Amino acid sequence: MTFTNRPSTTTESVKKMTSGTLYLCATPIGNLGDITERVRETLEQVDLIAAEDTRNSIKLLNHFGIKTPMTSYHEYNKVDKAKTLIEKLSQGADIALITDAGTPAISDPGEVLVSLCQEAGIRVTSLPGAAACITALTLSGLSTRRFCFEGFLPSEKKERKMVLEDLQKESRTIILYEAPHHLRTTLEELLLTLGDRKITLCRELTKKFEEVIPTTLADLADFYKKDTPRGEYVLVIEGKSLYDIKKEQQKDWQTISVEEHMKLYEEVGMDHKEAMKQVAKDRGISKREVYHYLLKTVDKEEYR
């Protein structure tokens, strides 16, 4: 009897053969010329486009003559609709996900769909393109070596306060999104929490009337007390200087003794020598100075 090699018919292998792909398609944030050829072709070839707002996205599709059917996928249906889309993907459909502008899944309900697709074993791929946060960062004139993206600040007061307090100590360049009707309040909160810092305000990015304004938080807050905010904003804010952070840390350490400082590290499992080294670093003094102080206050043999 002759045996032939046959493909596996396990559930997993069938899924791999029949399931479609979710394409994360970055769309222009303003200038329609910024769409990539790959994104345009993909939007034409997939079976379905899931769009944040079909009324907005139809303008993009009409501009490029794309006739692919659309369905809505947004913040208010992101879980239930994701199940429907995953079912279609599992049956072999290819689906493109687009947001109103920019890259899906960045401050966007697309992150939920991506996560659920991964759990279901559905292939997900990203077609890179425009992103307002990166565009604004490159235009800001602030440090681009290290940065953090916070998106929109939380609307819930307690959570918002916690995030702002964390940003107060942030040394990286900070990127925020903000809507016009919240801009004044946000600028005032940032000024109060972070103090006056350099900031670059960006609006209408890549459009005809693009604005990039390098200024300070104090001047910007004062300006918008009189001027009416219009459009969507990206705020790029200078991080706290590492020098200032270090000075504050050293000031805090001065409120406790060297011996108490040592105990903080020893209680979490650090040995004597490592603790002495860290205490010296925290306080901006030499390890020898820590050693001599401890010789005066504790058992001499303990720290030899």
Side-chain angles (χ1 to χ4, degrees), residues 9-260:
T9 56
T10 64
T11 301
E12 188 62 32
S13 63
V14 170
K15 183 188 291 184
K16 289 179 179 178
M17 288 188 289
T18 60
S19 64
T21 298
L22 176 67
Y23 295 89
L24 307 179
C25 294
T27 54
I29 59 176
N31 192 315
L32 293 179
D34 290 336
I35 195 169
T36 68
E37 185 67 18
R38 185 180 171 210
V39 166
R40 189 185 62 76
E41 289 178 355
T42 299
L43 293 177
E44 288 177 339
Q45 294 169 7
V46 293
D47 301 294
L48 182 67
I49 297 171
E52 181 180 5
D53 186 336
T54 55
R55 296 166 301 179
N56 181 67
S57 296
I58 193 64
K59 299 172 187 176
L60 176 74
L61 300 191
N62 286 342
H63 179 82
F64 291 105
I66 297 169
K67 306 298 184 182
T68 307
M70 275 195 298
T71 188
S72 63
Y73 179 78
H74 48 69
E75 182 65 28
Y76 303 104
N77 71 356
K78 61 185 178 184
V79 176
D80 290 339
K81 194 57 171 284
K83 295 175 183 177
T84 302
L85 295 174
I86 287 172
E87 185 177 352
K88 291 181 182 295
L89 287 159
S90 298
Q91 294 170 355
D94 288 327
I95 298 176
L97 179 67
I98 60 175
T99 184
D100 280 350
T103 301
I106 297 179
S107 281
D108 175 77
E111 65 178 331
V112 173
L113 180 57
V114 171
S115 178
L116 293 175
C117 279
Q118 290 179 344
E119 289 178 12
I122 302 295
R123 180 173 180 262
V124 181
T125 188
S126 181
L127 282 61
C133 53
I134 298 301
T135 304
L137 177 66
T138 60
L139 290 171
S140 70
L142 299 174
S143 173
T144 61
R145 188 177 72 85
R146 298 171 65 247
F147 60 91
C148 66
F149 173 65
E150 283 291 335
F152 290 94
L153 290 173
S155 56
E156 198 276 317
K157 287 185 179 180
K158 188 174 181 180
E159 185 183 1
R160 187 181 182 92
K161 183 180 178 183
M162 291 173 62
V163 171
L164 285 168
E165 286 174 352
D166 280 344
L167 292 179
Q168 189 178 36
K169 303 182 286 287
E170 180 58 68
S171 63
R172 296 170 294 179
T173 300
I174 302 162
I175 308 171
L176 300 174
Y177 288 162
E178 194 49 277
H181 53 289
H182 291 310
L183 182 67
R184 286 173 174 159
T185 299
T186 296
L187 289 174
E188 289 169 5
E189 289 177 324
L190 288 169
L191 180 59
L192 181 65
T193 308
L194 308 184
D196 198 15
R197 299 203 193 165
K198 290 181 181 178
I199 180 172
T200 298
L201 176 142
C202 301
R203 65 180 293 273
E204 299 295 289
L205 286 170
T206 76
K207 297 179 183 178
K208 183 177 181 180
F209 297 106
E210 174 181 275
E211 280 190 309
V212 178
I213 306 172
T215 180
T216 65
L217 270 171
D219 286 347
L220 199 58
D222 186 60
F223 175 80
Y224 278 108
K225 286 178 182 177
K226 306 162 191 173
D227 194 78
T228 302
R230 295 181 180 85
E232 298 295 321
Y233 293 87
V234 185
L235 308 176
V236 187
I237 307 164
E238 177 184 43
K240 190 166 193 171
S241 81
L242 291 172
Y243 177 73
D244 287 342
I245 291 174
K246 188 66 177 176
K247 280 204 308 183
E248 288 179 5
Q249 288 174 338
Q250 288 176 354
K251 184 178 179 181
D252 290 341
W253 291 127
Q254 302 310 315
T255 63
I256 62 173
S257 69
V258 172
E259 186 179 2
E260 290 171 324

Side-chain angles (χ1 to χ4, degrees), residues 246 249 253 261-262 265 270-285 287 290:
K246 188 66 177 176
Q249 288 174 338
W253 291 127
H261 200 159
M262 284 287 296
Y265 289 121
M270 196 176 284
D271 65 36
H272 295 331
K273 289 185 178 180
E274 281 300 312
M276 288 171 64
K277 182 178 179 182
Q278 189 60 49
V279 167
K281 184 176 180 181
D282 290 344
R283 301 175 85 94
I285 60 178
K287 186 178 173 182
V290 175

